[in-house]
């Protein structure tokens, strides 16, 4: 099985940028469906972005569209989330997930431990 491991979170000023990474531990991400979600304190998990393995097509939540960019490097077994123009509403723990090819984020089988992103004004 694959074990996602996130990194890159931290404290950033509003309007700033961060890049999150998600590396595969255990086995290659290969054809796994992959994506990012986040969870803010007291709130439900929220879809952020996924990327289609076949052609790299990304899908974004409306709340991050135009500000976040998801990408993956299969050769490095790593997925990325470039986050720009961050605001306080982006403060959350960000999780990287992976699942069987074609699965949606709610169906992902494997999740990382999460990385905290805190945006301050």
């Amino acid at each position: 099985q694959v074990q996602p491991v996130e990194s890159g979170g931290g404290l950033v000023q509003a309007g700033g940028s961060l890049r999150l990474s998600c590396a595969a531990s255990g086995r290659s991400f290969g054809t796994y469906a992959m994506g990012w979600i986040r969870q803010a304190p007291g709130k439900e998990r929220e879809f952020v972005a996924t990327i289609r393995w076949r052609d790299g097509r990304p899908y974004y939540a409306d709340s991050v569209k135009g500000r976040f960019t998801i990408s993956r490097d299969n050769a490095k077994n790593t997925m990325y989330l470039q986050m720009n123009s961050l605001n306080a509403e982006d403060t959350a723990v960000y999780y990287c997930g992976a699942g069987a090819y074609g699965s949606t984020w709610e169906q992902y089988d494997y999740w990382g431990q999460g990385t905290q992103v805190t945006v301050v004004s």
Side-chain angles (χ1 to χ4, degrees), residues 10-18 67 83 85-92 94 116-121:
L11 187 72
V12 63
Q13 292 281 338
S17 300
L18 280 176
R67 301 187 298 121
M83 306 185 295
S85 301
L86 287 162
N87 58 59
E89 287 69 41
D90 297 315
T91 294
Y94 285 70
Q116 177 71 46
V117 172
T118 303
V119 184
V120 297
S121 56

Side-chain angles (χ1 to χ4, degrees), residues 10-92:
L11 187 72
V12 63
Q13 292 281 338
S17 300
L18 280 176
R19 189 176 82 155
L20 305 183
S21 298
C22 175
S25 175
R27 61 175 293 181
S28 168
F29 278 140
T31 59
Y32 281 93
M34 296 181 64
W36 295 91
I37 66 165
R38 65 188 182 186
Q39 188 166 24
K43 294 188 176 181
E44 298 289 321
R45 294 185 304 169
E46 176 189 19
F47 164 74
V48 175
T50 61
I51 186 164
R52 195 161 67 182
W53 172 83
R54 183 175 74 246
D55 55 9
R57 179 176 176 176
Y59 298 86
Y60 299 101
D62 288 341
S63 59
V64 307
K65 201 172 294 182
R67 301 187 298 121
F68 290 12
T69 302
I70 187 173
S71 62
R72 65 192 286 171
D73 185 333
N74 286 345
K76 295 183 178 180
N77 282 326
T78 303
M79 180 176 66
Y80 304 97
L81 185 69
Q82 177 66 43
M83 306 185 295
N84 299 329
S85 301
L86 287 162
N87 58 59
E89 287 69 41
D90 297 315
T91 294

